[in-house]
Amino acid sequence: NAGVTQTPKFRVLKTGQSMTLLCAQDMNHEYMYWYRQDPGMGLRLIHYSVGEGTTAKGEVPDGYNVSRLKKQNFLLGLESAAPSQTSVYFCASSKGRGRELTEAFFGQGTRLTVV
Amino acid sequence: AQKVTQAQTEISVVEKEDVTLDCVYETRDTTYYLFWYKQPPSGELVFLIRRNSFDEQNEISGRYSWNFQKSTSSFNFTITASQVVDSAVYFCALSLVSGSRLTFGEGTQLTVNP
């Protein structure tokens, strides 16, 4: 039972390079999220999706793009990496809405360093 | 907009002490969920509890207990007889019933010393 799986777990990028982080969930959840975690700032929402084919901006979307072509996958792209994007990235998924909302299940995280 | 504040950045206790982690939230919505997550040194996020805004009953699970007070917009977490394995960063979070995404507090680093 994999839950939420993120690929890769670690990555070092040079400024200006691009990359895609992949998130896959096997729980048939409708909702998926990308957060970044920085020291002293908790987790901040980058983008999220409420279903296949839909995406929306979160709290800190600049410099990132996302796609949800399949229900189980949620991709986070960095078009031109900057040192300010050095962070730990977490993907999460949840089921239901309103009073049926469950807790969010998180992936293991991706540690990204931009030099 | 929603906001969650965890004023305690770091707490250090000696094993077997009780410790309370504070969480204060802000929202104009009347229906919402509150959560606590644990992040051990290994880095994963572990779900601990979810509470509904329409149920103020406090909850106890083993050494863990949660005190939800709507009047003060607080959802505090107490660990009784702390253990070294409780050392972690603890996050409080809020989600609106009308939405799904979580708003996190800054986290509290708890260190339990033997």
Side-chain angles (χ1 to χ4, degrees), chain B residues 2-15:
Chain B
Q2 292 68 242
K3 185 178 181 182
V4 177
T5 302
Q6 295 178 253
Q8 304 152 306
T9 304
E10 297 182 18
I11 300 176
S12 183
V13 300
V14 176
E15 206 170 16

Side-chain angles (χ1 to χ4, degrees), chain A residues 13-33:
Chain A
L13 282 181
K14 293 183 178 178
T15 298
Q17 285 185 321
S18 63
M19 77 163 293
T20 300
L21 281 67
L22 171 63
C23 176
Q25 54 97 359
D26 61 2
M27 296 172 283
N28 201 34
H29 286 172
E30 286 292 332
Y31 301 90
M32 296 188 75
Y33 319 85

Side-chain angles (χ1 to χ4, degrees), chain B residues 46-83:
Chain B
V46 179
F47 165 75
L48 295 178
I49 190 170
R50 181 188 81 161
R51 298 299 293 168
N52 304 325
S53 58
F54 36 90
D55 179 5
E56 284 194 72
Q57 189 172 10
N58 291 324
E59 187 158 337
I60 297 175
S61 176
R63 297 185 296 108
Y64 295 170
S65 62
W66 290 269
N67 182 284
F68 176 31
Q69 292 197 345
K70 247 181 167 177
S71 60
T72 56
S73 297
S74 65
F75 186 43
N76 296 336
F77 173 30
T78 297
I79 302 175
T80 302
S82 60
Q83 300 176 1

